[in-house]
Amino acid sequence: MTDATAAGAPDLPEVARIARDLIRIDTTNYGGGRAVGEREAAEYVGAYLEQLGLETLYYEPIERRTNVFARVPGRDRTRPALVVHGHLDVVPAVADDWSVDPFAGVIRDGMLWGRGAVDMKNMDAMILTSVAELVRAGEQPERDLVLAFFADEENGGVEGSSLVVEHRPEIFAGATEAISEVGGFSVDVGSRRAYLLQVGEKALLWLRLVARGAAGHGSRFHPDNAVVRLAEAVAALGRTEWPLRLTDTTDRFLAEMSRLTGIGTDDPDALADAAGPASAFLRASLRTTANATGLGAGYKHNVIPDRAEALIDVRVLPGTEEAALADIRRIVGDGVEIETVVRDVGLETTFEGDLVDRMVEALARHDPDAPVIPYLLGAGTDNKALSRLGITGYGFAPLRLPPGMDFTGMFHGVDERVPIDALVFGQRVLTDFLRTC
């Protein structure tokens, strides 16, 4: 496939064309209420759904932070509805760091490149085209589907799913389960392909560390330096080796990895490493992580500032939030303030039940003999917000990926891309699943 396809060649599959179109709509979310906005992307999604004959609902609680919804009637309307959701925003991309324009939707080497190709305009396109396939064929899903495309997920859903759940819960009336991103994709386990199904996610703590000192001239003897105090706290936190702490999900994940690899070890990290490029992603599910993501201080080279701050992204296992905060207070010391910017719950459900069976069966029909393994996501999704309505969420965005591809490393990374044939595979699996779920 060449770049000519990107210009609109007719052999580009519809799912790739939709994903490409969405990538070309810049929906950058800088966080903290600073964002380009999702309105144009939501209007694109809404127009597509309306062409299928579905009734759409827009909800824009904050200007340009647009969410769009539709309900697809199922064959058995007495059954609880399933929420199928994605988000329309993306994290920033620094164009100079990329091999391609991150918002051009370039097709190269059989892959779609651009910000959102992995997180998560790929899944948005799969949802739309899977529903389209059913509707155009005059078919119905097994039960009602609530289609939801949220704003602001990359800011913890503060101005997106959280507001929707708080102010418009009736949109999800009758729904008990949901599927969304970061699950159902393949990894290499030794010489075998396996699929990871997300049945939980870590809790979210976005913190700001603040150090204060006395302002003064940069040339003076000055032990009360806010920048130094902050740097010491950030370094101490960054060097901390958080202990292993397993949950029911990670126990089962490790048992499956041991069975598939035949590795005779009780070392969880060694078993996670057997997943190749996905190992760093999976090792994060076994412990707390606390990563510095931003620093701010000073306004002149020869002026010592009286304040310095750092942003810390902390992800902890469900139910361990307070213990982790206590540890962080101890690590950074008494001279540094800790502010909580965003806090949200961790989730964990079981790898069993009808919905899980339908996901596993759908993958098996399209990739026989490839095992499906439950795992705990080290990050978070809009399933957190839906959980406040009693809706149980899973990650199921099926993709069959080529061996050795560092797919998980592309989340929020540079040169984000997804194979076209993986999108086609995912759309087929998702369509099959929606028929039977």
Side-chain angles (χ1 to χ4, degrees):
M1 192 172 293
T2 67
D3 287 337
T5 308
D11 59 337
L12 187 64
E14 184 181 24
V15 65
R17 177 177 61 80
I18 299 299
R20 179 202 61 187
D21 290 351
L22 288 171
I23 287 169
R24 290 177 173 178
I25 303 172
D26 184 354
T27 54
T28 299
N29 187 349
Y30 298 96
R34 297 182 302 115
V36 172
E38 296 84 0
R39 183 184 291 169
E40 287 77 17
E43 290 172 345
Y44 178 99
V45 167
Y48 185 95
L49 294 171
E50 288 161 8
Q51 289 174 358
L52 298 176
L54 298 173
E55 182 178 348
T56 57
L57 170 68
Y58 292 90
Y59 181 54
E60 188 177 277
I62 298 171
E63 186 176 3
R64 294 193 52 77
R65 309 312 303 276
T66 316
N67 309 268
V68 60
F69 310 93
R71 186 176 284 250
V72 183
R75 291 190 293 271
D76 184 355
R77 306 204 71 183
T78 66
R79 292 186 58 196
L82 174 72
V83 183
V84 184
H85 64 98
H87 63 83
L88 296 172
D89 61 324
V90 296
V91 297
V94 179
D96 288 346
D97 296 339
W98 285 56
S99 301
V100 300
D101 181 341
F103 296 103
V106 171
I107 307 291
R108 178 185 293 175
D109 302 325
M111 296 191 185
L112 171 63
W113 298 58
R115 180 58 87 210
V118 168
D119 186 12
M120 68 168 291
K121 290 177 176 178
N122 59 343
M123 176 61 167
D124 294 333
M126 287 158 55
I127 294 169
L128 292 172
T129 51
S130 291
V131 169
E133 183 172 336
L134 295 178
V135 172
R136 290 167 183 162
E139 299 182 60
Q140 287 181 284
E142 184 65 25
R143 52 173 161 163
D144 278 14
L145 304 178
V146 178
L147 308 181
F149 298 85
F150 292 116
D152 202 46
E153 192 274 346
E154 297 294 1
N155 187 46
V158 174
E159 296 185 348
S161 58
S162 290
L163 292 181
V164 175
V165 164
E166 181 179 356
H167 299 300
R168 301 301 303 270
E170 72 279 3
I171 292 171
F172 310 101
T176 58
E177 295 171 308
I179 63 165
S180 188
E181 59 178 330
V182 207
F185 59 91
S186 67
V187 295
D188 301 320
V189 181
S191 60
R192 297 191 63 179
R193 182 167 55 240
Y195 290 87
L196 297 175
L197 180 60
Q198 191 250 100
V199 297
E201 52 191 59
K202 291 167 78 176
L204 169 66
L205 292 170
W206 282 349
L207 306 179
R208 179 182 290 112
L209 305 186
V210 180
R212 303 182 190 276
H217 198 289
S219 67
R220 64 175 291 184
F221 174 73
H222 199 100
D224 188 16
N225 190 313
V227 175
V228 173
R229 186 170 293 118
L230 178 75
E232 290 172 341
V234 171
L237 192 56
R239 294 190 187 106
T240 298
E241 295 185 8
W242 295 90
L244 288 164
R245 186 164 182 172
L246 305 183
T247 72
D248 290 344
T249 299
T250 51
D251 268 333
R252 185 159 182 178
F253 163 76
L254 293 169
E256 286 296 303
M257 290 293 290
S258 179
R259 182 181 66 82
L260 290 175
T261 62
I263 296 175
T265 180
D266 294 326
D267 180 358
D269 286 324
L271 289 169
D273 285 345
S279 61
F281 190 77
L282 294 169
R283 289 177 69 171
S285 70
L286 307 176
R287 51 174 58 81
T288 292
T289 59
N291 288 305
T293 56
L295 293 169
Y299 45 90
K300 183 71 167 62
H301 205 132
N302 61 348
V303 178
I304 299 168
D306 61 1
R307 175 189 169 101
E309 65 177 51
L311 303 180
I312 310 294
D313 186 347
V314 183
R315 310 297 176 118
V316 303
L317 297 173
T320 67
E321 295 93 321
E322 289 302 326
L325 280 171
D327 285 337
I328 291 169
R329 290 188 185 99
R330 173 183 53 79
I331 293 165
V332 303
D334 294 335
V336 175
E337 302 165 20
I338 300 175
E339 300 175 359
T340 300
V341 180
V342 178
R343 176 172 176 169
D344 213 339
V345 296
L347 306 172
E348 188 171 25
T349 188
T350 58
F351 186 61
E352 58 187 22
D354 289 343
L355 191 69
V356 170
D357 290 344
R358 299 294 87 77
M359 288 186 274
V360 172
E361 290 165 1
L363 283 168
R365 281 191 288 272
H366 294 267
D367 195 358
D369 303 321
V372 181
I373 306 171
Y375 90 106
L376 183 76
L377 174 64
T381 74
D382 284 317
N383 281 329
K384 292 183 186 298
L386 293 174
S387 72
R388 298 171 211 160
L389 301 176
I391 296 172
T392 301
Y394 302 85
F396 187 64
L399 295 168
R400 184 171 60 197
L401 300 165
M405 182 177 184
D406 186 10
F407 178 75
T408 59
M410 294 183 197
F411 281 84
H412 300 188
V414 173
D415 285 343
E416 190 178 341
R417 58 197 182 275
V418 64
I420 299 296
D421 58 6
L423 289 174
V424 172
F425 172 86
Q427 188 260 325
R428 290 172 177 165
V429 174
L430 188 60
T431 304
D432 195 3
F433 165 74
L434 295 179
R435 285 192 180 100
T436 61
C437 68

